[in-house]
Amino acid sequence: MHELSIVSSIVESVTEKLASYPGARGKEVRLRVGALASVIEDSLQFCYGFATEGTPLAGSALVVKVLPVRMLCRSCAKEVEIASLQSFRCPICGEPVSDLRQGRELEIESIEIEDEVGEMV
Ligand SMILES: [Zn+2]
């Protein structure tokens, strides 16, 4: 599964970052995923659940923020948001557009951590 390798590398990179905060546990990981990144959110969520097992991210939430596709329309000389992934046409003038400016991202936007302070052992 494509999503599993993506999630595994995200979990690995977040776990590495958390290593500099002893005792810290991940609470929420926010991702920015372009509409053309070809990942299915349900699969990401599903994989996240078991990829985080036994890591400081166990039980944390994965929040996926989908970024719309944005392309540059040469006729309008501006960046436009493409609503349909079926046809890449400028919503203003209707001309075909192909100059992708946003839509293939797959990156960690932020990580919220929860530390152990206040918890009695
Ligand atoms: Zn246009």
Side-chain angles (χ1 to χ4, degrees), residues 22-97:
R25 299 182 58 81
K27 194 176 168 192
E28 189 178 277
V29 174
R30 304 179 79 89
L31 292 186
R32 288 153 52 87
V33 178
L36 293 178
S38 355
V39 292
I40 299 158
E41 183 178 349
D42 284 353
S43 303
L44 286 180
Q45 296 288 2
F46 176 73
C47 297
Y48 190 78
F50 62 82
T52 53
E53 255 174 49
T55 75
L57 283 174
S60 66
L62 179 69
V63 178
V64 178
K65 182 176 168 189
V66 178
L67 302 175
V69 176
R70 295 186 67 87
M71 294 211 185
L72 178 75
C73 174
R74 296 191 188 284
S75 313
C76 300
K78 64 159 91 172
E79 218 179 273
V80 292
E81 198 173 299
I82 308 299
S84 162
L85 299 184
Q86 311 307 318
S87 79
F88 293 154
R89 282 179 183 279
C90 172
I92 302 166
C93 66
E95 289 294 312
V97 286

Side-chain angles (χ1 to χ4, degrees), residues 76-119:
C76 300
K78 64 159 91 172
E79 218 179 273
V80 292
E81 198 173 299
I82 308 299
S84 162
L85 299 184
Q86 311 307 318
S87 79
F88 293 154
R89 282 179 183 279
C90 172
I92 302 166
C93 66
E95 289 294 312
V97 286
S98 58
D99 197 347
L100 187 72
R101 292 301 162 97
Q102 175 185 283
R104 289 198 200 278
E105 294 75 5
L106 209 166
E107 57 201 27
I108 298 169
E109 181 180 75
S110 63
I111 305 159
E112 200 177 315
I113 60 172
E114 185 172 40
D115 58 36
E116 304 270 299
V117 178
E119 254 178 58

